[in-house]
Amino acid sequence: MQQSMTGYGRDERTSQNLRIKTEIRALNSKFLDFSPRIPKELADKEAEIRNLITDELKRGKVMLSIELELDDDSNLEVQVDEARFKAYFNRFNSLSEKVNSQSSDLVKLALQAPDVIKQQEIDPESLPWKDIKAGIKGAIDQCLDFRKQEGNTLTSKLSDYISNIRGGLKSVEENDASRTDNIRTRLQKNLDEIKDRVQVDENRFEQELIFYLERLDISEEKVRLKQHLDYFDEVLQKEDFAGKKLGFISQEIGREINTIGSKANHAEIQRTVVMMKDELEKIKEQNLNIV
C-alpha cells in the first residue's frame, strides 16, 4: 500500500501532574528531514525520538512538537521574586511621575517583567517517559492513517494515468499497422512521378527504402513501453514505500514515449504521443507525494 508524504497526527494525554501534547506534521521531501521541537528536559531522549520517527515515517519533511505542561490541579505554589517586583514597580512609578502619568497598570507591568514570576520547572528525573513515548507513537499512528488515506487516493489517480497511457499505446499500435505501408506507397508514388526524367536503380531504391523504414520502426519501443507500464502497475499495487522506484520507472516510460514520437512521422501517432506525455507529467507530479 502506498502512502502520501503529507500527514498530520496529534496526541494529548495526562500523566502524573503533566499534560503531554504531541503533534506531527509531514510534508514532501526527497529524504527524511526531521525537525524536532521538544522541551529541554527531553534533550537526552532526542536520539530515541528520532529513531521512532525514522522507523515509522520513512521519508518526508517531518516536524515534531512536544509540549509538557504542569496540570492545573497540581497544587503548585506560584513563586514571586518580591525584591525584583518592588524594584521594577518603584522604577516604573518613578518614570511615570516624571511624565506626569497616573497609570494604573504599574503592578501588571512589574509582574510581567523578566524573572519576577518564576516558572515552575519540571524535574527531568521524574518525567513519565513511558507515557511521553506512547504519546509520540499515538501521533505517529494518526499521521500514518492520514498518509494511508491520501495514499489510496494517489494510487487510484496513478492507476488512471497509467491506464490512459496504455490506451494511447493501443492507439499507436493500431495506427502503426498501416503506417509503414502508407510511407512505402507514398515514396513509390513519388518515384513513379520522376521515372520518366530520372534513371532509377530499383534495387538501390529498395535497399534505401528498407533502411529508411527500419529507422522509423517503433516495434521495440512499443514492447518496452508495455513492459514498463506493466511493471509500474505491479510496483504500485504490491510494494510499499515505492515512491522513488515509481519515479525511476516513470523516467523509462518517458524515454520510450519520446522515442516513439521522434520516429513516428505520423500525425495521429504524434497527437497520441502528446496525450501520453501529458499523462506522464501528471504521474511524475503525483510521484513526488509518495513515500
Side-chain angles (χ1 to χ4, degrees), residues 97-290:
E97 290 175 353
K98 287 182 179 181
V99 295
N100 296 320
S101 173
Q102 301 296 324
S103 175
S104 59
D105 295 330
L106 295 182
V107 172
K108 181 180 179 181
L109 288 172
L111 286 173
Q112 292 176 342
D115 299 324
V116 172
I117 297 180
K118 295 182 178 179
Q119 299 294 330
Q120 179 69 33
E121 294 186 356
I122 301 172
D123 181 10
E125 297 298 326
S126 63
L127 282 177
W129 169 240
K130 181 179 179 181
D131 293 316
I132 294 172
K133 185 175 180 180
I136 297 171
K137 288 185 174 180
I140 288 174
D141 289 342
Q142 278 196 16
C143 186
L144 287 174
D145 288 341
F146 190 107
R147 280 182 157 194
K148 288 173 183 177
Q149 291 175 14
E150 291 290 309
N152 288 336
T153 301
L154 290 174
T155 298
S156 177
K157 287 182 178 180
L158 289 171
S159 294
D160 289 342
Y161 299 149
I162 287 293
S163 178
N164 292 339
I165 294 177
R166 201 183 296 279
L169 176 58
K170 183 178 180 181
S171 175
V172 168
E173 290 172 335
E174 292 171 353
N175 284 289
D176 190 41
S178 59
R179 181 177 65 103
T180 53
D181 288 340
N182 291 338
I183 293 173
R184 180 186 289 272
T185 300
R186 186 173 71 249
L187 292 175
Q188 186 65 54
K189 181 181 178 181
N190 293 337
L191 180 63
D192 291 341
E193 291 177 354
I194 64 172
K195 267 186 175 181
D196 294 337
R197 289 169 289 160
V198 178
Q199 185 176 0
V200 178
D201 185 332
E202 294 286 348
N203 291 331
R204 179 65 183 273
F205 172 74
E206 189 65 26
Q207 291 174 359
E208 292 294 335
L209 178 60
I210 292 172
F211 177 72
Y212 180 67
L213 293 177
E214 284 179 348
R215 289 178 59 191
L216 297 180
D217 182 62
I218 57 174
S219 300
E220 292 184 7
E221 286 77 9
K222 291 186 297 182
V223 171
R224 287 196 296 266
L225 179 54
K226 182 180 184 304
Q227 291 173 341
H228 294 328
L229 294 175
D230 290 343
Y231 188 36
F232 190 100
D233 269 338
E234 179 183 343
V235 171
L236 182 65
Q237 299 299 332
K238 295 182 180 180
E239 295 189 23
D240 296 332
F241 314 118
K244 289 184 178 180
K245 180 179 284 190
L246 292 175
F248 296 143
I249 302 173
S250 299
Q251 292 176 11
E252 297 302 318
I253 291 174
R255 288 192 182 94
E256 303 307 330
I257 292 176
N258 286 334
T259 305
I260 289 173
S262 65
K263 286 185 172 183
N265 195 23
H266 186 280
E268 188 59 37
I269 291 179
Q270 294 285 6
R271 283 193 286 269
T272 302
V273 165
V274 170
M275 179 277 290
M276 291 193 291
K277 285 183 177 181
D278 184 50
E279 295 300 300
L280 182 61
E281 284 303 308
K282 296 175 185 177
I283 290 173
K284 291 179 177 179
E285 182 178 350
Q286 295 301 333
N287 275 348
L288 297 176
N289 298 323
I290 293 181

Side-chain angles (χ1 to χ4, degrees), residues 78-95:
V78 176
Q79 300 181 11
V80 178
D81 189 326
E82 295 186 14
R84 285 182 182 275
F85 170 76
K86 289 178 181 179
Y88 279 117
F89 180 83
N90 290 336
R91 183 57 176 158
F92 292 157
N93 189 50
S94 175
L95 293 173

